Amino acid sequence: MKNIIKISFRNLTRSGRRTLLTASLITLGVIFVLVYAALSGSFKSYMVAQITDSMMGHIQIHKKGYVESIDNLPLDKNLNQKQLGSITKLLDENPYIQNYTFRIKLGAMFSNYVSSTSIRLNAIEPAKETQTLPLFAARITGEDPSLLKEGSIIVPDILSKGMDVKVGDTIVLVATNEKGSVNGLNFKVSATLEAVMGPGGRDGYIHINDAKRLLRLGEIQISEVVIRLKDVDDLQKALKLLEPLKLIKNQKEKPVFEVHSWEKLSPFYNIVKMLDLMDISIKIILISIVLISILNVMVMSVYERIKEIGTIAAMGTTPSTITKLFLTEGLMLGVFGTAIGTLLSYIIVFIIKSIGITFSFGREEGLILAPVLNAGEVVFVVLIVIVISLIASISPARKAAKLNPVDALRQN
């Protein structure tokens, strides 16, 4: 085997220009895929964090049927105290959950004493909300949302500008409860809120106790439970441990709860899937580059070395040894191109990270890309290139092994 490696290496160096060109193509393909994966991964991670850490959490629990009618903010599909007890017991026992918080979602009329408009509201427990959604505070201009007091409201930016409402102004909220009773309360604007993509991205926020008064709730009622995981990669494991909730049924033998991940609730997940599809497409392009490059080199090598192949075959070299020679050459090309490509990819990603390239997304500007090469991604790409290098060498290797020594030696 040692001699085969030596002879293969000699053959590659003898055709140095073609070897260098092929290795360069493989290197460029590897760099393109790995750098793209690092950049798209950074963008994906940032956008997922913006949605899950500032608004939605990783998992949400509702009463069965709530999500289907969420546009109407139905108050008759809120969770009662007994149902919350079943939920919190499972949440406290789940090792993958870091924090969770309760919300009441409602619609109301918003008035600044001059004009009125509708508003969607999230009634929250301020301290728990900011613990469960660590980026929520970054969307706020004004008072710290974790200190949101009763009688205060956080108004969406768009509504604040449209209604000419500023921090410190007094407004009125008028809401109708489940029984049709209308009630109104005065609120002081404590902060404004930057909008984000997805359901609930333009909602206002009030204290949960204010919602109880506004809706004249007797006992505690909750619209949704928002959950944050310790590690988003454990999403499926956490969901599996919450499966018992789906088995709980009411007197009509119908499910009481529904559990949804952020992937099911956010339209942004379609963008994530599109980026994943682009990743696959680029990997296919890489495979094509490697396949064509090595196939071309190996085929040309066979035609140029017909007499040489005939000579070593006439000297007693077995077809299997000749096959190994060509397979080893293809493997060495793949390994060399992959090694250089991976090294240069790490250098390029490091430079990009050091420079701090900024980008804009929607209303957000000055966002900084922080690309990171995932070890699993690197190993996957390296293995693909090496395996394809071997596959591309099989056909030329078999062709060389099947050459008749007499016919090969007669070639000019």
Side-chain angles (χ1 to χ4, degrees), residues 125-181:
E125 298 174 302
K128 285 188 175 182
E129 187 81 8
T130 51
Q131 288 171 2
T132 306
L133 305 172
L135 295 182
F136 177 56
R139 297 171 55 201
I140 306 296
T141 302
E143 289 184 12
D144 185 344
S146 64
L147 303 176
L148 180 66
K149 300 172 184 175
E150 294 181 30
S152 296
I153 181 172
I154 300 173
V155 180
D157 257 347
I158 295 176
L159 185 62
S160 171
K161 293 173 182 176
M163 297 288 288
D164 193 24
V165 174
K166 301 177 180 63
V167 173
D169 289 354
T170 300
I171 60 93
V172 176
L173 290 180
V174 179
T176 305
N177 66 12
E178 182 185 350
K179 297 178 180 178
S181 175

Side-chain angles (χ1 to χ4, degrees), residues 98-370:
Q98 183 175 349
N99 289 302
Y100 59 88
T101 186
F102 301 141
R103 287 179 184 162
I104 300 174
K105 299 179 80 72
L106 66 147
M109 288 302 297
F110 179 99
S111 172
N112 62 356
Y113 299 101
V114 176
S115 57
S116 300
T117 187
S118 60
I119 184 173
R120 296 167 63 96
L121 294 166
N122 288 318
I124 61 172
E125 298 174 302
K128 285 188 175 182
E129 187 81 8
T130 51
Q131 288 171 2
T132 306
L133 305 172
L135 295 182
F136 177 56
R139 297 171 55 201
I140 306 296
T141 302
E143 289 184 12
D144 185 344
S146 64
L147 303 176
L148 180 66
K149 300 172 184 175
E150 294 181 30
S152 296
I153 181 172
I154 300 173
V155 180
D157 257 347
I158 295 176
L159 185 62
S160 171
K161 293 173 182 176
M163 297 288 288
D164 193 24
V165 174
K166 301 177 180 63
V167 173
D169 289 354
T170 300
I171 60 93
V172 176
L173 290 180
V174 179
T176 305
N177 66 12
E178 182 185 350
K179 297 178 180 178
S181 175
V182 179
N183 191 27
L185 291 175
N186 290 328
F187 287 84
K188 180 181 177 182
V189 178
S190 63
T192 57
L193 178 75
E194 183 181 28
V196 294
M197 291 190 310
R202 298 184 178 184
D203 293 357
Y205 288 80
I206 59 175
H207 198 285
I208 198 165
N209 291 337
D210 289 330
K212 292 175 187 176
R213 286 198 298 272
L214 188 61
L215 297 174
R216 295 173 177 166
L217 298 177
E219 63 172 22
I220 183 70
Q221 291 184 27
I222 297 298
S223 303
E224 65 187 15
V225 182
V226 181
I227 301 166
R228 175 175 176 77
L229 303 180
K230 295 174 182 175
D231 187 345
V232 69
D233 292 334
D234 293 326
L235 180 61
Q236 297 306 319
K237 295 177 183 177
L239 286 171
K240 191 172 182 180
L241 290 181
L242 294 175
E243 285 292 326
L245 285 176
K246 297 181 181 180
L247 302 177
I248 299 175
K249 297 184 178 181
N250 57 22
Q251 295 176 348
K252 296 180 180 179
E253 291 300 310
K254 293 185 178 180
V256 176
F257 304 108
E258 54 187 15
V259 181
H260 297 284
S261 67
W262 74 271
E263 297 168 348
K264 301 293 184 183
L265 296 170
S266 174
F268 176 73
Y269 184 60
N270 293 325
I271 299 176
V272 173
K273 288 196 292 185
M274 184 182 69
L275 290 172
D276 290 338
L277 186 62
M278 289 177 66
D279 283 343
I280 294 171
S281 301
I282 287 174
K283 287 184 178 71
I284 292 172
I285 293 171
L286 168 65
I287 290 170
S288 303
I289 291 172
V290 174
L291 188 66
I292 294 169
S293 300
I294 293 181
L295 191 61
N296 175 61
V297 168
M298 292 294 103
V299 169
M300 291 302 297
S301 183
V302 169
Y303 281 115
E304 287 178 0
R305 291 155 56 190
I306 286 178
K307 279 193 174 183
E308 180 186 327
I309 294 167
T311 302
I312 61 175
M315 292 171 61
T317 304
T318 62
S320 63
T321 302
I322 295 172
T323 301
K324 289 176 185 176
L325 277 171
F326 281 86
L327 288 177
T328 304
E329 287 179 28
L331 179 63
M332 291 175 75
L333 278 171
V335 169
F336 179 72
T338 303
I340 299 300
T342 302
L343 178 62
L344 291 177
S345 296
Y346 272 105
I347 293 171
I348 292 169
V349 168
F350 176 78
I351 291 171
I352 292 173
K353 198 171 181 179
S354 300
I355 293 173
I357 296 176
T358 58
F359 69 99
S360 299
F361 189 85
R363 298 177 60 202
E364 300 187 55
E365 298 179 355
L367 306 177
I368 300 175
L369 274 176

